[in-house]
Amino acid sequence: MEAGNHTEVSEFLLLGLSEDPELQPLLFRVFLSMYLVTMLGNLLIILAVSSDSHLHTPMYFFLSNLSFVDICFTSTTVPKMLVNIQAESKDISYIECLTQVYFFMIFALLDNFLLTVMAYDRFVAICHPLHYTVIMNPWLCVLLVLMSWFISFWVSLLHILLLRHLTFCIGTEIPHFFCELAQILKMACSDTLINNIAMYVATALLGVFPLTGILFSYSQIVSSLLRMSSSGGKYKAFSTCGSHLSAVSLYYGTSLGVYFSSAVTHSSQRSLIASVMYTVITPMLNPFIYSLRNKDVKGALKNLLSRAAPCP
């Protein structure tokens, strides 16, 4: 291995979504707009939940945490892309890249865990309504969120420590708009067997099991709804799950799209489009999903905005 071509690289090159210079202003405006909508929408959800005592329940506690994570999730990737477009640069330093990988994994895992916890919350609410307040007590809710943070932190740290042992060629080009673990491993000049094993094991344990938990929760919910005699009761019960089910479908649908597009095909463009869907579009749409279909959230947002509006 030649020392001049490997190891201790100071920066990588992010190729971005397109190398066409004429598209850069359009991409900048589109992604800046989506980022601002994401920030505003999720911030309004957090403020609405915190300001309305009627929303101080486990379901909305998890929703406000999901909104906070979505803000952080988008903020790990989009701002750097916007800076690079504006500066007409593709550079990202080695430390910046590792930091981006680290926080991206933390918030991706947290999104995964929170959606699973929210599915469990709906399962308890519909299948065990009489014991809901006992089971979903404040201590358990806080514990579930803290456990999600704890697992996400240590799993992400493990990947970063393994990543630090890899060497990279000088001038490494990453065909993406952010530093993603799978893409970084493909660009390494040294053996990545341990890293790939760790990545696939983590994906299996922390991706498949939560998804299985969500599917199990909803199978029990559907079974419980089918046993209900009242159609009004069925509609009311399912309406509380509709928003969450939409968010789960959007998140896992786009995430699996990234996985299959990279595993089945070698089209980097398809993988980029799928990545945009779950890293940018999904966090932007979540506030709309939870507010447009939820009377309580709409009422809280209306009260919040009316208090914020200046008196005539």
Side-chain angles (χ1 to χ4, degrees):
M1 183 182 296
E2 298 178 9
N5 293 332
H6 298 81
T7 192
E8 299 303 323
V9 294
S10 59
E11 65 182 22
F12 298 117
L13 297 176
L14 288 173
L15 298 185
L17 293 171
S18 173
E19 297 189 54
D20 186 351
E22 295 182 359
L23 280 178
Q24 302 309 307
L26 176 61
L27 289 174
F28 181 83
R29 289 193 293 269
V30 169
F31 279 87
L32 177 60
S33 301
M34 289 193 293
Y35 181 63
L36 293 177
V37 170
T38 300
M39 295 290 287
L40 179 61
N42 284 289
L43 185 60
L44 283 175
I45 292 291
I46 295 171
L47 292 175
V49 171
S50 61
S51 64
D52 193 326
S53 59
H54 295 96
L55 301 184
H56 293 175
T57 62
M59 179 173 70
Y60 296 111
F61 170 71
F62 296 132
L63 175 58
S64 60
N65 276 274
L66 180 67
S67 293
F68 173 74
V69 169
D70 279 343
I71 288 175
C72 298
F73 189 36
T74 307
S75 297
T76 61
T77 58
V78 176
K80 178 59 179 176
M81 180 181 67
L82 294 175
V83 168
N84 279 6
I85 292 175
Q86 188 68 12
E88 298 182 358
S89 168
K90 300 177 185 293
D91 299 347
I92 183 169
S93 70
Y94 176 73
I95 297 300
E96 273 186 299
C97 192
L98 291 190
T99 302
Q100 194 175 65
V101 171
Y102 177 62
F103 284 105
F104 179 83
M105 286 191 294
I106 285 180
F107 296 120
L109 287 171
L110 279 169
D111 250 345
N112 193 19
F113 290 142
L114 286 174
L115 288 173
T116 306
V117 169
M118 292 170 78
Y120 175 70
D121 173 71
R122 292 300 83 207
F123 159 70
V124 176
I126 293 173
C127 299
H128 304 283
L130 299 179
H131 301 96
Y132 178 74
T133 54
V134 176
I135 297 174
M136 299 303 297
N137 60 77
W139 287 106
L140 178 63
C141 294
V142 173
L143 179 62
L144 289 172
V145 172
L146 289 178
M147 284 179 60
S148 299
W149 276 95
F150 181 81
I151 296 172
S152 301
F153 173 84
W154 285 108
V155 170
S156 302
L157 183 61
L158 172 63
H159 284 297
I160 292 300
L161 293 176
L162 291 174
L163 205 56
R164 289 279 294 171
H165 291 287
L166 299 180
T167 56
F168 298 90
C169 299
I170 293 174
T172 295
E173 295 182 344
I174 302 172
H176 218 303
F177 65 96
F178 68 96
C179 290
E180 188 181 38
L181 180 61
Q183 292 290 340
I184 298 297
L185 295 182
K186 290 178 183 178
M187 299 299 111
C189 297
S190 55
D191 182 38
T192 60
L193 177 62
I194 301 299
N195 301 77
N196 282 314
I197 290 173
M199 183 176 66
Y200 289 127
V201 169
T203 301
L205 294 178
L206 305 178
V208 175
F209 284 142
L211 180 58
T212 303
I214 292 174
L215 294 175
F216 174 77
S217 295
Y218 274 102
S219 68
Q220 296 300 304
I221 288 171
V222 170
S223 177
S224 179
L225 291 178
L226 291 176
R227 291 195 299 268
M228 288 185 182
S229 57
S230 170
S231 58
K234 289 181 181 180
Y235 176 78
K236 184 178 179 180
F238 188 76
S239 65
T240 65
C241 303
S243 299
H244 177 258
L245 195 56
S246 300
V248 168
S249 301
L250 190 60
Y251 179 79
Y252 279 101
T254 52
S255 300
L256 290 173
V258 172
Y259 175 78
F260 287 117
S261 64
S262 60
V264 177
T265 71
H266 297 285
S267 173
S268 60
Q269 198 63 34
R270 289 184 181 180
S271 179
L272 280 174
I273 293 172
S275 295
V276 169
M277 287 297 295
Y278 89 96
T279 60
V280 183
I281 304 296
T282 300
M284 181 184 70
L285 292 181
N286 276 346
F288 296 99
I289 291 172
Y290 281 101
S291 61
L292 295 178
R293 302 187 59 175
N294 191 305
K295 292 181 180 179
D296 294 332
V297 175
K298 284 194 290 187
L301 286 172
K302 186 177 180 180
N303 293 334
L304 178 67
L305 294 175
S306 64
R307 289 198 300 268
C311 297

